[in-house]
Amino acid sequence: MSGLPNFSQFVNPGVYWSQTAAAAIGVVGGQPTVVALVGPGIGYRTFSDTLTLTSTTAQSLSQFGISTASIVVTSTDGSITYVATTDYTITTTASSDGNALDTTNTIVRVGAGAITSGETVVVSYQYTDSTYYMPVLVNNYPTVEALFGAAINSTTGAILSPLALAAQFAFSNGANSLVLVACQTSSGTTTTRSYLQAAYTKLAAVDTVDIVVPLPVGLTGTSIAPGDIINIGQDLDAFVNTQSNNSLFQIGIIGYETTETVTPDAIAAAIDDQRTIEAWPNQLSYYNGFVNATQTISGYYLAAAIAGIFAKNPVQQGLTKQIVNGFSGIPPLVFATMTIAYKNQLSAAGVCVAEIVNGGTLQLRYGTTTQPDTVYTREASLVRSQDFMINSLVQTITNAGLIGTPITENTSAIITGLTTGGLNFMVKQGVINAFSGVSCTIQSENPTIEQVTFAYKPSYPLNFVTIAFSIDTSTGALVNSSTLASSVG
């Protein structure tokens, strides 16, 4: 969490915040309007150039990073497909800016080939330039598919674009806006820890993101040889904490590959932070309509779905008992292991477990973070609410235009009023339950600092209802023996 800067050194003028150690303060998060998904897409985009090839003059293809093996040259009506080296040649040139992805290409007709001088042709190809790996904001699935490919192969039913499929789950569970960051792959759609880290670096500059979900496609490990399974969870946690310490309040949600067997409670213990949630199980059933069959998909799609639930709900709404859409269940072998005792073990250890209820509904059992020590670190809704409160107050005071103006006898009262008004609004919205003790004073050691202090009561989630009863053996009525005999006869 953030702390006040050292004002004995240079500090950029602005509004800063810190949390006191008082028990009355609970830790919480900002209104999630945007979910970021970080993972592999299909790996390329497609494009077609319409060019007129004259004599042996080279014509430039418009996109960077073209896969020359994917180039197809046809006549404008599509009736003729021309042959490389026989009818045309392609030349690739390295990028002038040094980016290995941004190569350029030119096409030249072969004089003795089938393309006549002055003929117009269509050049279709796949390309992956440096912009493919930059964050992009999307608001609907067709845009996702256009940018990162179809989620599912309509013929084989295979997953083509993990990023697109994760976006489907996020949208279907309530997300309205997604920031997608395609990470590089080592083979097919398999990615690596370092590629995910590189994608986080690009995401760091996007100041609208509230929830971050990585897709560790192909990353696996066992309890004996965990590989990067624990590392990728800790990397996510480090990223969202760094962002939040810079007042870009974020929460991370991570799920894992179907083939990894590191125990989920061990992963949660290694992460151990209020800003990161581990989704479990790592195997979910998914009905694939293209092949009319149910297949097993990975836990990072569950994480994307949970992010969608967060985005749909107000910040004070937790995950406990929330319904998860888009899955058809849990595979039988995994379901058989999920006894009440085992689910209790995982929930107590800080694992957010999804379970089957009511004959088939997938529901989140208990919306815990990976730091289950206290209610303030365990409840993601408290983390989100406090983030929202801090961000709102900082923005309110910043937008009032006070920073840089002379301190007057009214300044403290103005700041107190702004703070009180903001807190009252949050009480009405249900973000917090109550507040008290708002005051603003000039710090004696530095007369340019006005310090606001207050205490607040979070909007605690209702997780338990207990019912206590006793049996009253006295009815207060007299019953004669004949009546009693007839009533029981």
Side-chain angles (χ1 to χ4, degrees):
M1 80 188 52
S2 180
L4 293 176
N6 181 0
F7 288 106
S8 65
Q9 303 173 356
F10 173 76
V11 176
N12 191 41
V15 181
Y16 297 89
W17 61 274
S18 70
Q19 178 184 328
T20 70
I25 305 290
V27 285
V28 241
Q31 174 67 48
T33 55
V34 179
V35 172
L37 302 177
V38 180
I42 200 170
Y44 58 83
R45 293 175 182 151
T46 58
F47 198 80
S48 294
D49 285 315
T50 301
L51 302 171
T52 299
L53 303 184
T54 303
S55 185
T56 56
T57 303
Q59 295 284 338
S60 297
L61 302 183
S62 61
Q63 302 302 321
F64 296 153
I66 294 171
S67 167
T68 55
S70 71
I71 293 176
V72 176
V73 181
T74 66
S75 57
T76 54
D77 62 4
S79 62
I80 303 171
T81 299
Y82 298 108
V83 180
T85 70
T86 300
D87 300 323
Y88 64 90
T89 58
I90 300 291
T91 301
T92 302
T93 304
S95 170
S96 58
D97 63 8
N99 192 316
L101 293 174
D102 288 340
T103 56
T104 58
N105 295 88
T106 57
I107 182 172
V108 176
R109 63 178 287 274
V110 174
I115 302 174
T116 61
S117 181
E119 183 177 349
T120 300
V121 298
V122 177
V123 186
S124 302
Y125 50 83
Q126 299 169 358
Y127 71 100
T128 309
D129 61 5
S130 58
T131 65
Y132 183 85
Y133 299 107
M134 297 303 293
V136 58
L137 177 67
V138 298
N139 297 305
N140 56 73
Y141 180 73
T143 302
V144 175
E145 191 171 272
L147 291 172
F148 300 106
I152 306 290
N153 185 308
S154 60
T155 302
T156 67
I159 297 174
L160 293 176
S161 175
L163 198 57
L165 185 57
Q168 274 191 12
F169 281 107
F171 279 133
S172 66
N173 281 276
N176 290 317
S177 298
L178 303 176
V179 168
L180 303 182
V181 188
C183 63
Q184 291 184 259
T185 60
S186 53
S187 175
T189 56
T190 299
T191 192
T192 66
R193 177 191 181 190
S194 61
Y195 287 150
L196 288 171
Q197 290 174 318
Y200 292 150
T201 301
K202 296 181 177 70
L203 183 62
V206 183
D207 61 4
T208 57
V209 169
D210 303 281
I211 300 169
V212 182
V213 180
L215 311 178
V217 182
L219 287 167
T220 189
T222 67
S223 295
I224 297 173
D228 280 324
I229 292 302
I230 289 176
N231 292 333
I232 58 175
Q234 293 175 326
D235 289 344
L236 171 64
D237 184 65
F239 175 72
V240 296
N241 272 285
T242 297
Q243 293 290 91
S244 297
N245 288 339
N246 292 324
S247 294
L248 298 176
F249 299 110
Q250 296 177 356
I251 285 178
I253 310 174
I254 190 165
Y256 287 91
E257 191 62 80
T258 59
T259 51
E260 80 85 15
T261 57
V262 181
T263 56
D265 40 359
I267 296 172
I271 298 173
D272 189 27
D273 193 84
Q274 63 188 7
R275 288 198 174 276
T276 301
I277 295 169
E278 179 191 2
W280 201 261
N282 64 329
Q283 296 184 29
L284 287 304
S285 297
Y286 171 69
Y287 177 73
N288 190 326
F290 290 112
V291 292
N292 193 29
T294 298
Q295 66 189 80
T296 299
I297 61 175
S298 300
Y300 38 79
Y301 297 116
L302 174 61
I306 292 173
I309 295 171
F310 262 153
K312 171 184 65 178
N313 289 331
V315 292
Q316 64 269 26
Q317 172 64 58
L319 291 173
T320 301
K321 305 306 179 187
Q322 292 289 295
I323 303 300
V324 185
N325 296 317
F327 301 95
S328 57
I330 297 173
L333 290 178
V334 177
F335 181 80
T337 67
M338 297 182 69
T339 63
I340 291 177
Y342 184 54
K343 289 185 288 189
N344 286 345
Q345 173 188 326
L346 295 184
S347 295
V351 180
C352 183
V353 177
E355 63 181 354
I356 300 297
V357 298
N358 300 328
T361 301
L362 191 66
Q363 183 182 80
L364 297 175
R365 190 168 193 263
Y366 185 29
T368 181
T369 73
T370 56
Q371 190 178 2
D373 307 25
T374 72
V375 66
Y376 300 107
T377 60
R378 182 172 59 244
E379 293 290 343
S381 63
L382 297 185
V383 179
R384 295 172 67 209
S385 298
Q386 182 171 284
D387 286 348
F388 181 90
M389 178 188 69
I390 294 168
N391 188 61
S392 295
L393 292 178
V394 169
Q395 292 301 316
T396 297
I397 297 172
T398 299
N399 293 341
L402 293 173
I403 302 300
T405 63
I407 295 176
T408 69
E409 60 182 9
N410 296 323
T411 301
S412 293
I414 292 171
I415 296 173
T416 299
L418 290 170
T419 304
T420 301
L423 292 171
N424 273 320
F425 173 79
M426 283 177 269
V427 169
K428 291 179 181 179
Q429 295 297 311
V431 175
I432 62 175
N433 186 275
F435 67 94
S436 62
V438 180
S439 67
C440 182
T441 57
I442 296 177
Q443 283 196 355
S444 58
E445 64 272 21
N446 188 334
T448 68
I449 299 173
E450 292 265 7
Q451 184 175 53
V452 182
T453 60
F454 63 92
Y456 83 96
K457 181 179 180 181
S459 293
Y460 294 104
L462 176 62
N463 287 336
F464 308 97
V465 175
T466 62
I467 301 174
F469 65 91
S470 61
I471 299 175
D472 186 352
T473 59
S474 173
T475 65
L478 296 177
V479 181
N480 62 46
S481 59
S482 61
T483 302
L484 178 60
S486 64
S487 67
V488 299

